Amino acid sequence: MTKHPVIAIVGRPNVGKSTLFNRFIRVRKAVVDATEGITRDRIYGEMDWRGISMTIVDTGGYIPEDTDIFNAAVRKQARLAVEEADLILFLVDGRSEPTASDMALARLIHETGKPVVLGVNKCDHTRWDDQAYLYYELGLEPVLPISALSGRLTGDLLDLIVEKLHLSPSGSGHTGEEEPLKITIAGMPNVGKSSLMNALLQKEQSIVTPVAGTTRDSIDTTFRWYGRDIILIDTAGLRKRMRIKDQIEYFSTVRTHKAIQRSDVVLVVIDAVKGFGNQDKSIVDLVIKEGKGLVLLVNKWDLVEKDSNTMVEFGRTIVDAFPALKGYPQLFISAKTRQRVSRVLDLAWNVGELRKKTIPTRDLNTWLQGILQQNPPPAVHGRQLKMKFVSQVHRAPPIFAFFMNYPKLVPVQYRRYLENRLREAFDLEGVPIRLTFRKK
């Protein structure tokens, strides 16, 4: 996978970093609100400008002093973004004078010695452009007044970035390589999703605190794993609708749903101490409904008192509560101690490959004849159901079409029976299967 230049947007809280990030990538990916400190982790997006592909990184608002539990963690994320960036886009508020936070961040940027462009935001009209002169005292150039909200002079800003990095178009950007596997980490708040992501990446990519609801955006991280490209997506916790307290949390939930929709495989994390509850069922149901591969991770297994049968009994309890999970892998882990974490990506990759599997029609019909001899469909309303032929008509997720005489009369129980037998016969563990019944 071709590495694009990385542009990190940094600045103190509420200067418009997420608004500019969303404008660059042309998607409302980062949560934007008038409240300070909405963005906490660093968020990645891809954009193209004049035929040049770039990776844009949004960061949390930089505050030099600690006023709450998150400030030190947000500063660490901003520093990590600066370290990995090829160029730093320092954003300031054109409606105010330079602050102590601006000064502290400017000193940090000076120390890196990396290319920088200073964007003076909220200059929605030419009458505000003179504010840019106030920021020359930071000693960073070039300085450009812009408006992230209206888009004023943001094209000029991108031109400056291209010029600073001496970039040139590299064609269409298509390398002919296989698309990376997109893995989303989902679950209820405070089950350890960000801790798992950090354990998988073996670095602190996401902020982890004991406070539920720390992650508010869906965060993409691209990395290579044994020569394979993977995009790992950390998400905000999914709550019941009645428990969603504010607009910010609502949009975080919407983005989590979208993250699941654009993924290939979803790691559904549950709390081993709390057990498998109704909201966990809802998340699993959403993943299966969207046709995504699913791996169930029981986290915090280190906190459970156990004997040799505890794991088997726990897994059986989950399947009893939600029988549809019978065909999906379970893994009992501890993100904190990294117990069995090394097996997570192996399982996810295998499920991703199975989801793309195409089964030859000849093999499917040989299997169907065996099923019909062993357990033919029952008679319904005095009509004998006869299945003649089956074929796979779609992959990722796999969809199988059964051609028969009365497609609308197939009982739900027999549908489930066919699905389970298909999964067993053709090794489709972890993959949602779609069955359609059509008139021959």
Side-chain angles (χ1 to χ4, degrees):
M1 186 163 56
T2 305
K3 184 183 182 299
H4 301 150
V6 177
I7 317 301
I9 306 175
V10 299
R12 60 184 172 86
N14 215 26
V15 296
K17 297 184 297 299
S18 294
T19 302
L20 184 62
F21 174 83
N22 288 339
R23 175 166 290 280
F24 281 167
I25 67 170
R26 299 183 182 181
V27 178
R28 280 182 61 90
K29 185 175 183 181
V31 178
V32 179
D33 192 86
T35 309
E36 285 192 1
I38 299 305
T39 303
R40 291 169 176 170
D41 299 292
R42 56 195 199 276
I43 304 162
Y44 293 74
E46 300 294 326
M47 70 162 294
D48 186 90
W49 180 251
R50 288 167 40 188
I52 299 166
S53 296
M54 293 181 274
T55 299
I56 309 295
V57 188
D58 187 18
T59 64
Y62 189 93
I63 302 174
E65 65 280 353
D66 292 334
T67 57
D68 64 36
I69 190 174
F70 295 111
N71 286 349
V74 170
R75 277 201 308 277
K76 184 171 185 179
Q77 291 296 304
R79 288 195 184 101
L80 289 170
V82 165
E83 286 173 11
E84 69 181 347
D86 298 300
L87 180 141
I88 301 161
L89 175 49
F90 184 17
L91 205 63
V92 296
D93 188 342
R95 300 294 178 93
S96 66
E97 296 183 359
T99 66
S101 295
D102 292 326
M103 300 285 192
L105 191 47
R107 284 194 293 272
L108 172 66
I109 293 170
H110 272 294
E111 290 170 4
T112 67
K114 293 193 174 185
V116 61
V117 173
L118 179 57
V120 183
N121 194 27
K122 304 184 183 179
C123 295
D124 305 318
H125 192 273
T126 53
R127 64 174 176 270
W128 289 100
D129 287 359
D130 288 347
Q131 288 289 103
Y133 293 112
L134 297 174
Y135 285 90
Y136 277 96
E137 68 173 281
L138 299 180
L140 299 171
E141 293 188 58
V143 179
L144 183 70
I146 66 163
S147 171
L149 191 61
S150 69
R152 178 173 177 261
L153 296 179
T154 52
D156 295 60
L157 182 67
L158 288 167
D159 285 341
L160 279 175
I161 291 171
V162 169
E163 183 181 326
K164 270 272 186 178
L165 291 176
H166 309 291
L167 300 174
S168 58
S170 56
S172 66
H174 179 68
T175 62
E177 296 180 23
E178 189 176 353
E179 284 291 309
L181 180 72
K182 299 183 183 70
I183 303 174
T184 291
I185 304 174
M188 290 177 65
N190 217 26
V191 295
K193 298 183 297 297
S194 295
S195 297
L196 173 62
M197 185 167 187
N198 292 336
L200 291 173
L201 296 171
Q202 298 182 351
K203 62 178 181 177
E204 291 197 17
Q205 173 67 34
S206 299
I207 295 171
V208 181
T209 72
V211 181
T214 303
T215 301
R216 285 170 168 182
D217 285 296
S218 298
I219 303 160
D220 292 16
T221 302
T222 304
F223 67 103
R224 287 187 72 80
W225 175 73
Y226 292 103
R228 302 156 178 170
D229 292 318
I230 291 178
I231 296 176
L232 202 57
I233 308 167
D234 188 15
T235 63
L238 283 169
R239 301 179 189 266
K240 291 182 179 178
R241 287 191 178 182
M242 65 183 70
R243 293 184 181 174
I244 296 175
K245 298 176 181 177
D246 56 30
Q247 186 180 27
I248 296 165
E249 193 170 353
Y250 167 74
F251 282 113
S252 294
T253 302
V254 170
R255 280 164 175 75
T256 299
H257 280 249
K258 288 186 177 179
I260 290 173
Q261 287 172 351
R262 64 190 177 90
S263 63
D264 302 305
V265 178
V266 180
L267 306 175
V268 177
V269 185
I270 70 168
D271 190 321
V273 178
K274 294 179 180 178
F276 189 74
N278 289 330
Q279 184 59 10
D280 296 311
K281 284 186 195 177
S282 299
I283 296 168
V284 167
D285 193 48
L286 173 64
V287 175
I288 294 175
K289 182 180 177 182
E290 293 292 340
K292 308 303 178 181
L294 188 153
V295 177
L296 189 71
L297 301 179
V298 184
N299 192 27
K300 306 183 185 180
W301 194 242
D302 56 310
L303 302 180
V304 175
E305 292 186 16
K306 44 193 171 290
D307 56 33
S308 57
N309 294 322
T310 307
M311 191 179 294
V312 174
E313 291 172 359
F314 197 106
R316 188 182 297 125
T317 302
I318 292 173
V319 174
D320 288 344
F322 196 40
L325 275 173
K326 183 181 180 182
Y328 295 86
Q330 300 176 10
L331 188 63
F332 295 78
I333 66 167
S334 169
K336 184 178 179 180
T337 66
R338 303 201 173 184
Q339 181 184 18
R340 299 190 190 90
V341 168
S342 61
R343 294 179 55 193
V344 171
L345 291 178
D346 274 317
L347 262 178
W349 187 271
N350 185 55
V351 169
E353 290 297 295
L354 292 177
R355 186 170 172 266
K356 298 184 291 185
K357 189 174 184 178
T358 300
I359 302 170
T361 301
R362 182 195 304 173
D363 295 348
L364 283 171
N365 283 283
T366 300
W367 164 83
L368 180 61
Q369 293 310 310
I371 288 292
L372 295 177
Q373 289 176 12
Q374 182 182 355
N375 186 14
V380 179
H381 303 314
R383 294 173 175 171
Q384 185 62 49
L385 305 185
K386 295 182 179 179
M387 294 184 177
K388 300 293 185 182
F389 185 77
V390 61
S391 177
Q392 183 175 349
V393 295
H394 192 270
R395 59 195 281 271
I399 300 177
F400 300 94
F402 290 79
F403 296 86
M404 57 184 301
N405 53 351
Y406 298 112
K408 294 181 180 180
L409 298 183
V410 181
V412 173
Q413 295 88 340
Y414 199 75
R415 287 171 179 259
R416 290 177 182 161
Y417 168 76
L418 290 174
E419 180 183 328
N420 291 334
R421 298 291 81 78
L422 262 172
R423 196 186 302 280
E424 291 172 3
F426 297 104
D427 186 21
L428 293 172
E429 186 184 31
V431 181
I433 296 172
R434 300 280 188 270
L435 305 184
T436 68
F437 298 90
R438 306 177 183 181
K439 186 77 172 176
K440 185 177 181 303

